Amino acid sequence: MLLESELPYAGQGYCLVLARFGQPEDAEFFVLYLDRYLPQRLCYYDQDWALGGLLHLDAKLGTNHAGRFLAADGLWHRSAFAGTDPAECRRFMDERIQLADQAMGPHK
């Protein structure tokens, strides 16, 4: 659903939900999305939300899926979002998850 989201802002919602669920398999959805859309330099979709979600999951799960995107020659630095700070993407996602947890209670 994240890859094929056709409605405005749907991708952002999917990113928030996947990051909030925080399961190892959720990281794969972010990886697939970033692999598809980061190379498309004219597409300003939800790559920043996806990277923020992936960084959140990496921190939570002790993984490094985002590393290959953020390497010096990684897709992030060659994408439409090259000027966007990845740490800011993660902070933004962390804040959204915190707001959701406050409104609905922590996801278990």
Side-chain angles (χ1 to χ4, degrees):
M1 292 172 72
L2 175 60
L3 284 171
E4 304 302 330
S5 61
E6 295 179 9
L7 299 173
Y9 308 109
Q12 294 173 7
Y14 294 137
C15 288
L16 176 60
V17 168
L18 290 171
R20 190 164 179 254
F21 283 167
Q23 299 301 307
E25 57 270 16
D26 297 327
E28 290 303 312
F29 293 111
F30 288 126
V31 168
L32 289 169
Y33 182 86
L34 292 169
D35 275 335
R36 178 179 292 181
Y37 290 110
L38 282 179
Q40 299 181 34
R41 293 188 50 87
L42 298 177
C43 294
Y44 293 89
Y45 296 141
D46 300 312
Q47 292 94 317
D48 52 344
W49 283 70
L51 183 68
L54 186 57
L55 288 167
H56 174 85
L57 288 181
D58 278 347
K60 180 177 180 176
L61 302 171
T63 55
N64 187 28
H65 297 289
R68 70 182 179 89
F69 298 110
L70 299 177
D73 62 342
L75 286 174
W76 185 259
H77 302 291
R78 295 177 299 191
S79 76
F81 289 83
T84 304
D85 181 5
E88 183 64 23
C89 296
R90 177 171 173 209
R91 185 192 64 74
F92 185 81
M93 183 59 71
D94 289 347
E95 287 176 357
R96 299 303 157 292
I97 291 169
Q98 196 172 35
L99 287 170
D101 286 348
Q102 289 171 356
M104 297 179 272
H107 176 74
K108 297 181 185 203

